[in-house]
Amino acid sequence: MAILITGGAGYIGTHAMVEFLNAGREVICVDNFSNSKPCALERVKQITGKDFKSYEVDLLDYDALEKVFVENKIESCIHFAGLKAVGESCEKPLLYYHNNLTGTFNLCALLQKYGAKKIVFSSSATVYGKPASVPITEDFPLSTTNPYGETKLMIERILKDLHAADNEWSVSILRYFNPIGAHKSGLIGEDPKGIPNNLLPYVAQVATGKRPYLSIFGDDYNTHDGTGVRDYIHVVDLAKAHLKAIERAEKVSGVEYFNVGTGVGYSVLDIVKAYEAATGAKVPYKIVARRPGDIDECYANPDKAYRVLGWRAENNIEDMCRDSYRWQSNNPDGYGE
Ligand code: NAD
Ligand code: UD1
C-alpha cells in the first residue's frame, strides 16, 4: 500500500519524501515538473538509499493520473502539487484557479473512486488574511487577498464538503507558516526560478555573493523594530508534520486543521542578524518601500498540532539559517539545468 505524493519533486515535497522513506513508508511521486526538476528526486534517493516510483504526470490530465491508480495500490495522499507565487497569481488568476482547483478535483475524484479517502493538504497561513491579533489559532476568521490564497481557501472548503458527503474521508489540513532551511545533507533545498520572491532564498543569495544586497520591504510596521514579523519553520520539521498527520488520518476520519509553525515570530532584521551569526557571512541590506499586500505580524499558536498530532518544531532559527546557507553554498544554481 502506497502513499501518493503529489508535487513530490518540489521544495517541501522532496523533504517529505525523505522523511516518509526513512520511516519505511512506500511512496509514489506524481509531478509535472512545472516548478521542479527530476534530479531533485535522484537526490532524495541518494539521501535515503531507497528507491521509489515516480510519474511525470500533470494533475490536470485525469486519464494519465488514473493510470497511476490502476498500476499501484494507493491508500492515501499528501497533496503538495500547486502553483504558489502570490504575485503571479494576481497576473494570471485563471492559470492558478485552473491548475490548483482542477488538479485537486481530478485527484479527489480518483482518491474516491479507488477507495483511498485519506488526504493531507498543503494549506497556508495566508488563509488568515490580516489577522486581528497574534498568535493565530486555527479558529481565527478566514479571508484572502489574492488568487493564490483563494485557491487554498477554496480547496479547504471542497475537502470539508467531501467529508460532509461521505464521512469515510480523513482530511488533514496543514496551514504552513513560513517554511525555510534545507535538509542537513545540503543535497535538497529550495530552488526558486529567477529572482526569489521570498525572504530566505533572497538572503541566501546575498550571503553567498550572488546578489549584492537585500531590499527590506518597509521598516515602519507595527513590530518591535519596524520590519515584518513571521513564523519561520524548518522545512524538515514541516515535512515531519505530514508523517504525523497521515498516521492520524489512518486512524480517524474527519476534517482537522493544524497550524504548522514554531509559535515564535522573527522580524526581517532579526533574520538578517541570525543569518550572519549562524554562517559568518555578511548580508548587506537597504530599506525600501513596503511590498503591497504585506502584513505586520503573522505567527502561529501551534499547540493544537502538539496536542493532537504530538508534533512540534525541533529546529531553531540558527539551524534554519545554517542549513539554508549550506544548501545555497553547495548549489549556487540550485539543481542546475
Ligand atoms: P514547489 O513549487 O517547490 O512544489 C510544488 C510542486 O508541484 C512542484 O514540483 C510542481 O512542479 C508541482 N506541480 C504544480 N502543479 C502541478 C500539476 N498540475 N500537476 C503535477 N504537479 C504539479 O512548492 P513548495 O514550496 O514545495 O510548496 C508545496 C505546497 O505547499 C504548495 O501547494 C504550496 O502552495 C504550499 N505552501 C507553500 C509554502 C511555501 O512557503 N513554500 C507556504 C504555504 C503553503
Ligand atoms: C509570502 C506570501 C504568502 C505565502 C508565503 C509563503 C506575499 C504577499 N505573501 O508570505 O501568501 O503564503 O509567502 O510562500 O507574497 N521581505 C523583504 N525582502 C524580500 C522578501 C521579503 O523584506 O526580498 C519581507 C516581507 O516584507 C515579509 C518577510 O520578509 O515581511 C517575509 O516575506 P516572504 O518570505 O515573502 O513571506 P510572506 O510575506 O510571509
Side-chain angles (χ1 to χ4, degrees):
M1 295 291 264
I3 304 172
L4 184 69
I5 315 264
T6 75
Y11 172 45
I12 304 168
T14 45
H15 289 84
M17 299 271 287
V18 167
E19 296 308 317
F20 278 77
L21 288 163
N22 283 344
R25 304 299 300 251
E26 188 190 345
V27 292
I28 294 172
C29 174
V30 166
D31 202 300
N32 65 357
F33 302 115
S34 58
N35 197 38
S36 55
K37 301 199 178 98
C39 77
L41 296 175
E42 295 309 314
R43 302 272 183 101
V44 170
K45 291 178 187 170
Q46 200 181 330
I47 293 168
T48 60
K50 293 186 177 161
D51 204 2
F52 55 86
K53 276 199 200 174
S54 77
Y55 290 83
E56 182 169 353
V57 162
D58 194 320
L59 295 192
L60 299 178
D61 184 343
Y62 182 92
D63 293 341
L65 189 58
E66 180 155 32
K67 205 160 165 271
V68 180
F69 283 80
V70 170
E71 289 179 4
N72 301 283
K73 193 98 196 76
I74 288 163
E75 61 174 337
S76 58
C77 175
I78 316 286
H79 181 27
F80 293 108
L83 296 174
K84 64 165 183 177
V86 172
E88 187 185 49
S89 81
C90 297
E91 288 156 23
K92 300 175 184 168
L94 290 181
L95 174 69
Y96 272 66
Y97 285 118
H98 185 46
N99 187 75
N100 294 2
L101 295 179
T102 311
T104 303
F105 296 152
N106 286 343
L107 175 67
C108 289
L110 288 165
L111 289 169
Q112 180 139 296
K113 180 169 175 185
Y114 288 86
K117 295 183 241 180
K118 299 179 190 69
I119 187 167
V120 178
F121 172 60
S122 303
S123 189
S124 164
T126 196
V127 300
Y128 296 115
K130 191 176 180 332
S133 62
V134 279
I136 299 167
T137 49
E138 287 82 357
D139 55 1
F140 268 38
L142 305 178
S143 69
T144 61
T145 52
N146 56 71
Y148 164 72
E150 280 298 336
T151 68
K152 292 294 172 199
L153 202 47
M154 287 177 180
I155 294 169
E156 286 198 3
R157 288 175 178 149
I158 290 161
L159 295 176
K160 185 169 163 244
D161 290 342
L162 265 183
H163 174 264
D166 173 356
N167 59 22
E168 281 180 11
W169 274 94
S170 288
V171 176
S172 188
I173 292 176
L174 302 187
R175 294 178 178 148
Y176 310 161
F177 282 68
N178 291 56
I180 63 168
H183 191 264
K184 294 211 182 313
S185 62
L187 285 168
I188 54 173
E190 190 167 9
D191 181 16
K193 277 188 187 155
I195 301 171
N197 295 312
N198 297 114
L199 180 63
L200 258 290
Y202 207 104
V203 167
Q205 294 193 4
V206 173
T208 51
K210 194 169 177 180
R211 298 190 188 275
Y213 62 90
L214 168 73
S215 296
I216 296 186
F217 300 145
D219 65 351
D220 56 352
Y221 284 100
N222 185 21
T223 62
H224 64 272
D225 61 20
T227 64
V229 166
R230 299 289 184 274
D231 186 338
Y232 297 95
I233 171 157
H234 197 295
V235 64
V236 171
D237 284 329
L238 173 60
K240 288 179 177 168
H242 293 78
L243 195 51
K244 295 283 192 185
I246 205 72
E247 284 168 358
R248 179 161 169 86
E250 284 163 359
K251 287 193 219 107
V252 294
S253 59
V255 187
E256 291 182 313
Y257 304 84
F258 298 103
N259 285 341
V260 189
T262 63
V264 183
Y266 287 99
S267 72
V268 180
L269 283 171
D270 291 335
I271 292 292
V272 168
K273 282 182 216 139
Y275 211 93
E276 292 186 335
T279 66
K282 285 273 157 256
V283 182
Y285 65 83
K286 290 183 187 171
I287 307 289
V288 303
R290 286 182 176 206
R291 179 174 66 180
D294 275 353
I295 56 176
D296 304 70
E297 286 194 290
C298 175
Y299 57 91
N301 175 333
D303 291 352
K304 185 178 174 194
Y306 184 61
R307 211 173 51 245
V308 180
L309 300 177
W311 171 91
R312 71 156 58 121
E314 285 166 1
N315 288 278
N316 62 25
I317 199 69
E318 191 186 339
D319 301 320
M320 302 183 216
C321 294
R322 205 187 38 239
D323 294 341
S324 150
Y325 188 66
R326 186 185 303 110
W327 156 253
Q328 184 64 41
S329 306
N330 293 354
N331 308 271
D333 299 315
Y335 293 109
E337 284 316 308

